[in-house]
Amino acid sequence: MRRLQALVFLFLVSLPYVLRAQSTNASVTGRVIDPSKATVPGAKIAAVNNDTNFRYETATNGAGEYTLANLPPGTYQLEVDKSGFKKLIRPDVILHVQDALAIDFELPIGAALETVVVQGGAPLLNASDASLSQVIDDKGVVVYRLTDVM
């Protein structure tokens, strides 16, 4: 009888791990650096949903790293702001179910009233799986790469 009670207890304790559902949300992580490649702690990062205008906000830690978790799928505008630097905006960041994107920023030094809108740049990195990326080299040639992310 005690053995049965012990088995029932172990089953009930492990039940949350068995029933844990997968999230339908996405996340964005990355680093913020300055032009000298030094990290920028305390920079404010915001993801603004284009459809709802809802803002998800965080700040970089001492290593200049940030994480925006539990973002519903949709199209976002990412904003990076820190006193003494120009504000950066990256529009049209599309998040799908369970995306885990890594997006780094380099903040240019300047007045806080100035804003830089990032139109191009490196393709987004999906850190959750191997994915095909598209890169345009300096001659205008499109190069496709299969990237395996561990």
Side-chain angles (χ1 to χ4, degrees):
M1 185 67 171
R2 292 189 67 92
R3 187 174 192 167
L4 179 61
Q5 287 176 336
L7 287 173
V8 170
F9 174 76
L10 286 174
F11 174 75
L12 291 175
V13 169
S14 64
L15 191 60
Y17 299 106
V18 175
L19 296 178
R20 185 175 58 202
Q22 293 182 356
S23 172
T24 59
N25 292 332
S27 65
V28 178
T29 60
R31 288 184 56 204
V32 178
I33 58 173
D34 67 12
S36 70
K37 308 299 183 218
T39 59
V40 180
K44 296 177 185 173
I45 313 290
V48 183
N49 188 304
N50 289 358
D51 297 327
T52 64
N53 252 2
F54 193 83
R55 295 176 67 87
Y56 299 86
E57 298 179 340
T58 191
T60 56
N61 63 15
E65 299 170 341
Y66 71 92
T67 299
L68 286 163
N70 294 318
L71 299 172
T75 304
Y76 289 84
Q77 173 176 294
L78 296 181
E79 301 173 356
V80 184
D81 193 18
K82 172 78 174 173
S83 179
F85 295 92
K86 295 178 184 177
K87 180 177 183 178
L88 276 183
I89 296 176
R90 182 167 187 156
D92 302 323
V93 175
I94 300 172
L95 297 177
H96 300 95
V97 172
Q98 292 185 341
D99 272 353
L101 300 182
I103 303 176
D104 295 337
F105 292 97
E106 183 176 316
L107 282 177
I109 296 174
L113 300 175
E114 297 180 67
T115 301
V116 177
V117 178
V118 180
Q119 296 294 342
L124 301 179
L125 172 66
N126 186 340
S128 64
D129 64 1
S131 61
L132 184 67
S133 65
Q134 175 181 336
V135 178
I136 300 176
D137 68 11
D138 60 337
K139 296 177 183 94
V141 177
V142 177
V143 178
Y144 293 95
R145 294 186 198 155
L146 182 60
T147 311
D148 189 12
V149 179
M150 297 283 177

